[in-house]
Amino acid sequence: MKRIFGLFMIGVMLVSMTACAKNSAGDLPGHTTISIDKKEESIELFAMDTYMTVTAYGNQAKCALQVAETRIRQLERLWSVIDPESELYMVNHSNGVPMDVDKVTSKAISFALSMADRTAGALDPTIYPVLTSWGFTTGSYQIPSQDELDSLLQLVGYDKVLLDGQKITVPEGMQMDLGAVAKGYTADIVMSILKDQGITSALIDLGGNIQTVGYKPDGSKWRVGIKDAYGDGNIGVLTVADCAVVSSGGYERYFIGDDGQTYWHIIDPSTGKPADSGLVSATVVCKEGRLGDALSTALFVMGLQDAETQWRECGDFEMILMTQNNELYITEGLEADFALNQSHDGMPVHVIEK
Ligand code: AMP
Ligand code: MG
């Protein structure tokens, strides 16, 4: 039955893919097409546990967005950690037996493992058992005992996961969660679908994971608000084009314990406890959504100093970090494109230079 459903979905995909034709700009590489058509279309959906809005401009926009939505739903079905039909759920319940997964799943896992390596385990896609013990996966929040954390941490370690092509082996008891990278990964896929359909201007917002395609239809840059971790509004606005802007912060999901302390959903894999690095939010600006998503979570765990080192050594992203004492650190590549909101006029802003 599942197989028939799968074939049906592929059929639906093919129909919607072929029904969308490329526009003239896509068909004639090297030719300059002057388009005055700025027709705006958008879709809103709830997927991957978050509200998503994708807005695209041009004649092909409506059709392209339909293809994108179908793909988002497919990816959600593959990567949900709570749906017993999902690939990731099956991987997490495979009792250590190697399992073949879809190519896109193997690529997403491979990316997550490589980022875990790059960030020395600050990002660890095997943190799921610990996350569950805090109740972040169910909403039944609790503070686990140190003993419980110590024993659960034995089940954490991205280096114990084996990935050989599309075959994955997750040792018995261990579980994976793509929550820290899935939205960014999906945004990249949505972006390539839109571009493939000839869209040159679009804004992809997957629950605050922002990806901008080209410039706005009027040729100006997009304005992306950077959230205030301590309030409802924005601390400032970034003016960008053709890039991803991804934030991670304690404010996104947290609970207040009986002890009056705030516990948030980003866990430091070295302690099993909510990251306590001195940061309250980390925003990454870079070319690819997946990199931004993985890094923003990891930098939040690492803290200011290690984030700076990562920035200096890698050179493939810019960042804005907000600290617990309400100060802002911004890398020099963003200085000209960032403006503090009037409401945050007195906020100290430090520019990190090479
Ligand atoms: P993000 O919103 O992208 O920062 O991702 C946060 C989500 O990633 C959490 O809700 C968890 O599902 C998962 N997560 C939490 N801590 C980590 C971590 N250190 N490494 C990998 N995933 C994590
Ligand atoms: Mg992330």
Side-chain angles (χ1 to χ4, degrees), residues 266-285:
I266 301 176
I267 306 289
D268 182 343
S270 69
T271 62
K273 295 178 182 169
D276 186 20
S277 66
L279 297 181
V280 286
S281 81
T283 297
V284 172
V285 181

Side-chain angles (χ1 to χ4, degrees), residues 69-87:
E69 179 168 354
T70 304
R71 188 64 176 144
I72 292 171
R73 298 276 183 213
Q74 283 181 332
L75 296 175
E76 181 184 35
R77 270 195 299 274
L78 288 174
W79 299 341
S80 164
V81 267
I82 50 167
D83 175 3
E85 300 278 299
S86 87
E87 273 197 335

Side-chain angles (χ1 to χ4, degrees), residues 123 178-184 209 246-248 252 266 289-298:
L123 183 90
L178 292 176
V181 297
K183 281 179 274 164
N209 270 52
V246 187
S247 299
S248 285
E252 285 171 339
I266 301 176
R290 69 195 75 188
L291 179 66
D293 201 357
L295 276 178
S296 66
T297 310

Side-chain angles (χ1 to χ4, degrees), residues 12-146:
V12 170
M13 231 355 232
L14 287 177
V15 169
S16 43
M17 293 275 247
T18 48
C20 295
K22 284 192 174 178
N23 72 2
S24 55
D27 287 335
L28 297 169
H31 289 241
T32 309
T33 306
I34 299 166
S35 169
I36 50 167
D37 184 0
K38 295 171 185 167
K39 196 164 187 290
E40 177 184 309
E41 297 283 352
S42 68
I43 48 162
E44 285 178 21
L45 62 151
F46 187 81
M48 301 183 176
D49 206 20
T50 197
Y51 290 96
M52 304 180 167
T53 307
V54 187
T55 305
Y57 297 85
N59 278 335
Q60 303 300 322
K62 195 168 185 173
C63 208
L65 290 174
Q66 278 169 6
V67 180
E69 179 168 354
T70 304
R71 188 64 176 144
I72 292 171
R73 298 276 183 213
Q74 283 181 332
L75 296 175
E76 181 184 35
R77 270 195 299 274
L78 288 174
W79 299 341
S80 164
V81 267
I82 50 167
D83 175 3
E85 300 278 299
S86 87
E87 273 197 335
L88 206 54
Y89 186 95
M90 291 185 212
V91 163
N92 284 343
H93 295 82
S94 58
N95 299 321
V97 176
M99 224 192 103
D100 281 315
V101 292
D102 193 289
K103 200 166 189 177
V104 74
T105 304
S106 67
K107 282 186 168 178
I109 290 174
S110 167
F111 173 74
L113 294 175
S114 73
M115 288 306 295
D117 213 31
R118 166 169 164 175
T119 61
L123 183 90
D124 193 326
T126 66
I127 198 69
Y128 192 69
V130 174
L131 202 71
T132 304
S133 75
W134 286 92
F136 285 113
T137 52
T138 58
S140 302
Y141 300 120
Q142 54 165 353
I143 303 168
S145 68
Q146 189 59 51

